[in-house]
Amino acid sequence: STRSNVHLELELCAGKPWVMLDDGQLEMALLNLAVNSRDAMPDGGRLVIRTQLVDDADGRRHVQLSAQDTGVGIPPAALAKVFDPFFTTKAHGEGTGLGLSQVYGFARQSGGSASIASVPGEGTTVTLRFPLVEPDLAAPEASAAPPAAARVDVDAAHADVLVVEDDAEVREVIADGLRALGYTVREAADGTLGLQRLAQG
């Protein structure tokens, strides 16, 4: 939802630095960060999306993308866990705990990194870093498709998926998403039940 009491600012670095990323996953990461920031500012605030060129200690250049909000912040005890799958600081039923873990996974699989800093009562900054590449390396023709052996083509109409997850709400979200893709889904609330379902064929 859109709220008029959240002010969005963009502070983008000069020029057009190149990185090699999946644009769809980048869009999803930015959306996750924006939603988290919005939820952390129930009374309004400021969200700044910033890009910068930075150098690592070894001299390698990176593009740094950060989302900085003026929200409620994250308690220090929870800060080390926020990138863990299914961990959430939101109230029960208000989040799956998958948003930041997906952001972290996207950054790592893109050859980059993700970090978070927060001060309770002042706000949170999530920072992603991606290696800078030369423009000729980032050209579309240089991005070869993965080898055929790395791809798995599954006909959803003829595939069954067993979802094993002890959190009923998380299990429901995953199962509903798979059903929407056309898969037949069976569910189990724990490993023992999952093995029983597998034994049943």
Side-chain angles (χ1 to χ4, degrees):
S1 65
T2 302
R3 292 207 319 259
S4 59
N5 61 351
V6 173
H7 181 66
L8 174 64
E9 295 181 21
L10 298 178
E11 295 182 4
L12 307 179
C13 63
K16 296 181 179 179
W18 286 88
V19 290
M20 292 193 70
L21 303 174
D22 180 286
D23 54 356
Q25 290 187 46
L26 174 62
E27 183 177 346
M28 187 60 65
L30 283 169
L31 181 60
N32 275 323
L33 294 176
V35 167
N36 279 351
S37 291
R38 179 204 64 190
D39 291 347
M41 299 185 286
D43 299 322
R46 179 171 168 255
L47 169 61
V48 180
I49 304 293
R50 183 179 290 115
T51 58
Q52 298 170 279
L53 280 175
V54 297
D55 292 322
D56 276 354
D58 61 4
R60 289 185 304 167
R61 304 213 80 190
H62 287 73
V63 174
Q64 183 169 287
L65 169 66
S66 62
Q68 180 180 19
D69 66 50
T70 57
V72 296
I74 300 170
L79 200 57
K81 303 177 184 177
V82 293
F83 287 132
D84 293 351
F86 307 117
F87 178 82
T88 180
T89 58
K90 297 179 182 178
H92 188 67
E94 291 185 7
T96 63
L98 292 172
L100 282 179
S101 68
Q102 290 175 334
V103 170
Y104 178 82
F106 160 65
R108 296 291 294 173
Q109 78 177 26
S110 302
S113 63
S115 61
I116 187 165
S118 187
V119 178
E122 295 185 18
T124 299
T125 302
V126 177
T127 301
L128 309 180
R129 279 189 175 192
F130 304 101
L132 188 70
V133 299
E134 294 301 322
D136 57 335
L137 293 177
E141 59 269 19
S143 304
R151 294 195 302 266
V152 178
D153 296 317
V154 178
D155 182 356
H158 299 93
D160 294 344
V161 176
L162 173 62
V163 176
V164 182
E165 169 57 54
D166 61 353
D167 186 310
E169 290 183 16
V170 172
R171 189 173 65 248
E172 182 180 354
V173 169
I174 295 170
D176 286 349
L178 288 167
R179 288 189 185 101
L181 293 171
Y183 292 96
T184 300
V185 178
R186 293 184 295 160
E187 301 178 39
D190 59 45
T192 302
L193 286 173
L195 290 172
Q196 290 175 1
R197 298 270 160 82
L198 281 176
Q200 294 167 0

